[in-house]
């Protein structure tokens, strides 16, 4: 970690040549420059292709199994297809690693942001950035702004819901540890406890089998579910973001990872040059709109 050594101007007057020599690279920065340089981003810390990764010369990226569409395609994270696979390789390239240097690893959703040392350099698996999760892990800046949505079977009572109040008496389900489940508990506040599932596949099966009235998931996933997996399903609507601030997915890293500023800079660069918008348009263009539940 690069630390800017701040010395009072008067103390510099009597410094010897020898001390000056040993202080090379540690001189105080002008306030403007110091404010512009993020902690940990100095010098060669982010040298392309030479980061302090888990395996030298390789970039280890993790996600869950199965890897769902539209985030990944054909349950094959390494193929570069699907929004998050494309983002992963774009970040890798920005960091100086070509496709052959990327190693994929399977890590369950909840384990990715649980306390403890990580076996990956970063994980991406539709993990929303939150203050609570930041206590255990680091996040990059957000690579996707997302809203949560409700999916029900067509012609069901739940399908006719027009507001949050209409959802309160329903049996709702979501994957454990997700923002989707938080929206059920904190926004809908239903009169019946939410059904909690280890995987989205289990939630979808429960919906098909009538064990729940509706499930909550992120909006792009909701579009894919109703288009390809639960074809008699419909998107009831989407929620507004809590507090008016956008919910964002971020790359997950070890708490205090030296890679965090490098990965964040890579994501920021991809947003600035239009790469993230281009990838989103390619893979998530169908997930464009749904009624807003208020």
């Amino acid at each position: 970690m690069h630390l800017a050594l701040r010395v009072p101007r008067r103390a510099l007057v009597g410094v010897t040549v020898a001390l000056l020599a040993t202080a090379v690279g540690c001189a105080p920065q002008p306030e403007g420059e110091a404010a512009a340089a993020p902690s940990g981003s100095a010098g060669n810390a982010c040298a392309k292709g030479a980061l302090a990764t888990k395996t030298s010369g390789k970039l280890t990226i993790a996600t869950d199994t199965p890897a769902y569409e539209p985030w990944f395609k054909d349950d094959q994270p390494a193929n570069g297809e699907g929004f998050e696979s494309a983002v992963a390789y774009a970040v890798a390239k920005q960091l100086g690693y070509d496709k052959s240097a990327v190693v994929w690893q399977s890590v369950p959703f909840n384990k990715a942001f649980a306390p403890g040392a990580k076996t990956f350099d970063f994980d991406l698996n539709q993990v929303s950035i939150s203050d609570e999760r930041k206590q255990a892990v680091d996040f990059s800046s957000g690579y996707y702004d997302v809203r949560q949505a409700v999916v029900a079977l067509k012609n069901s009572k739940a399908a006719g819901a027009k507001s949050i109040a209409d959802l309160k008496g329903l049996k709702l389900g979501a994957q454990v540890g997700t923002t989707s489940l938080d929206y059920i508990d904190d926004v809908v506040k239903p009169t019946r406890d939410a059904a909690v599932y280890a995987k989205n596949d289990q939630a979808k099966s429960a919906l098909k089998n009538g064990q729940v009235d509706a499930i909550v998931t992120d909006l792009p996933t909701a579009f894919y579910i109703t288009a390809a997996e639960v074809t008699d399903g419909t998107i009831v609507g989407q929620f507004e973001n809590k507090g008016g601030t956008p919910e964002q997915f971020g790359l997950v890293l070890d708490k205090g990872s030296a890679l965090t500023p490098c990965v964040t800079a890579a994501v920021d660069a991809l947003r600035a040059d239009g790469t993230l918008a281009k990838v989103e348009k390619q893979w998530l263009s169908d997930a464009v709109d749904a009624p807003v539940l208020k």
Side-chain angles (χ1 to χ4, degrees):
M1 181 173 67
H2 175 72
L3 297 177
L5 180 61
R6 300 186 182 276
V7 182
R9 188 178 299 274
R10 287 176 297 177
L12 296 176
V13 176
V15 177
T16 66
V17 172
L19 287 174
L20 284 171
T22 61
V24 172
C26 296
Q29 295 176 316
E31 290 299 322
E33 293 180 12
S39 174
S41 64
N44 293 325
C46 296
K48 289 198 170 185
L51 303 182
T53 53
K54 298 294 182 184
T55 302
S56 180
K58 300 288 185 180
L59 188 66
T60 302
I61 304 175
T63 195
D64 200 356
T65 301
Y68 297 108
E69 299 194 28
W71 311 105
F72 300 92
K73 190 170 177 62
D74 300 326
D75 194 18
Q76 297 291 328
N79 63 16
E81 298 186 41
F83 178 74
E84 288 192 327
S85 182
V87 167
Y89 282 116
V91 171
K93 183 179 179 181
Q94 192 72 28
L95 294 172
Y97 295 87
D98 61 26
K99 195 170 183 177
S100 64
V102 173
V103 178
W104 285 92
Q105 188 179 94
S106 175
V107 173
F109 177 81
N110 256 6
K111 191 174 180 180
F113 51 87
K118 306 306 177 192
T119 56
F120 51 78
D121 293 310
F122 68 77
D123 175 284
L124 76 170
N125 187 28
Q126 306 108 66
V127 181
S128 296
I129 301 169
S130 72
D131 290 338
E132 181 181 0
R133 290 172 179 172
K134 283 181 180 179
Q135 295 178 30
V137 295
D138 281 359
F139 282 97
S140 70
S141 52
Y143 62 88
Y144 180 66
D145 297 350
V146 65
R147 284 192 174 189
Q148 298 298 315
V150 180
V151 176
L153 297 181
K154 295 175 182 176
N155 303 318
S156 68
K157 178 182 177 181
K162 303 297 183 184
S163 66
I164 291 173
D166 293 338
L167 301 174
K168 287 187 180 294
L170 302 178
K171 183 69 173 178
L172 304 175
Q175 184 178 355
V176 65
T178 59
T179 309
S180 304
L181 183 58
D182 290 341
Y183 267 76
I184 295 175
D185 293 336
D186 301 337
V187 177
V188 179
K189 299 178 182 178
T191 57
R192 305 165 67 184
D193 289 341
V196 183
Y197 302 96
K199 299 278 188 179
N200 256 337
D201 277 346
Q202 296 171 347
K204 288 178 285 189
S205 294
L207 178 63
K208 289 179 181 179
N209 296 332
Q211 294 168 299
V212 292
D213 297 310
I215 60 174
V216 178
T217 185
D218 59 80
L219 186 59
T221 298
F223 272 95
Y224 182 76
I225 288 173
T226 55
E229 296 181 312
V230 185
T231 53
D232 58 341
T234 184
I235 298 175
V236 178
Q238 62 178 308
F239 295 106
E240 293 182 308
N241 284 310
K242 292 188 291 186
T245 57
E247 177 189 348
Q248 293 186 313
F249 293 155
L251 306 179
V252 182
L253 301 95
D254 254 325
K255 184 68 177 175
S257 172
L259 300 183
T260 302
C262 307
V263 174
T264 290
V267 173
D268 290 345
L270 294 172
R271 185 177 292 278
D273 70 12
T275 298
L276 289 182
K278 180 179 178 181
V279 173
E280 182 179 333
K281 182 177 180 181
Q282 179 180 1
W283 293 108
L284 303 180
S285 59
D286 290 338
V288 291
D289 197 19
V292 176
L293 299 167
K294 297 183 180 181

